[in-house]
Amino acid sequence: MPRIAIVVARAENGVIGKDGKLPWHLPADLKHFKAVTQGAPMIMGRKTFESLPGLLPGRRHIVVTRDPLWRAAGAEVARGVEEALALAGGERVSVIGGAEIIRLFEPLATAWELTELHCDADGDTFLDPPNPQRWRETARARHPAENGHPPFSFVHLERATS
């Protein structure tokens, strides 16, 4: 089983998306996302794949969809969790969304790379925060508001042992 990291940005009110896109533009988060996903397969839902600006270099794109006819150049298609993980192989995988895909993979995940935006955001896609009984914070880097961007934190969580 590969190491599975959930990689997501979330506002304080739980918003992770709006109209199929991120409801904010946070350059530092985009750099962080690239750094933590580089070199690993990314697993995502179809809508997340379609929201990307194109194929992201240095990463395989595994798309989980129920649509048996869906295909896209550069995407490997899986019909469920097991098939996606079999396609990914390797030592680590990044699960990047959307909310339904994150919920499907969370029971198998070993870590979260969470960007916490310290603000509420307007959106239509929500994700509950990681359950503190299942996850423990092992690192946090706080960043102040700057250049019109809200304050945020990069948070790394590991699965808590029982």
Side-chain angles (χ1 to χ4, degrees), residues 42 44 49 52-61 63 72-76:
M42 295 185 309
M44 67 202 82
F49 178 82
L52 297 175
L55 294 176
L56 304 179
R59 293 154 278 191
R60 290 172 46 214
H61 297 64
V63 178
E76 300 172 59

Side-chain angles (χ1 to χ4, degrees), residues 16-139:
I16 65 168
K18 181 179 181 179
D19 300 327
K21 297 182 175 24
L22 291 174
W24 48 74
H25 178 72
L26 192 58
D29 181 50
L30 298 175
K31 287 180 185 176
H32 180 72
F33 177 86
K34 181 178 180 180
V36 299
T37 61
Q38 193 69 36
M42 295 185 309
I43 297 175
M44 67 202 82
R46 177 190 53 79
K47 291 178 186 174
T48 297
F49 178 82
E50 291 172 350
S51 76
L52 297 175
L55 294 176
L56 304 179
R59 293 154 278 191
R60 290 172 46 214
H61 297 64
I62 299 171
V63 178
V64 178
T65 179
R66 290 182 286 266
D67 183 344
L69 302 176
W70 187 87
R71 299 277 182 274
E76 300 172 59
V77 180
R79 303 296 172 221
V81 171
E82 295 81 16
E83 188 178 349
L85 291 174
L87 280 171
E91 294 181 13
R92 67 185 180 100
V93 173
S94 298
V95 175
I96 65 166
E100 183 179 346
I101 298 298
I102 290 170
R103 284 190 279 274
L104 286 173
F105 281 87
E106 191 270 344
L108 303 172
T110 54
W112 284 70
E113 295 293 345
L114 175 63
T115 301
E116 290 181 343
L117 282 85
H118 302 301
C119 65
D120 287 341
D122 181 31
D124 55 22
T125 307
F126 296 85
L127 183 69
D128 289 335
N131 182 330
Q133 294 178 328
R134 286 186 283 212
W135 299 98
R136 64 182 171 81
E137 185 176 314
T138 59

Side-chain angles (χ1 to χ4, degrees), residues 146-162:
E146 145 179 302
N147 299 327
H149 301 296
F152 64 94
S153 295
F154 294 135
V155 182
H156 179 81
L157 300 130
E158 293 283 336
R159 185 166 292 282
T161 54
S162 316

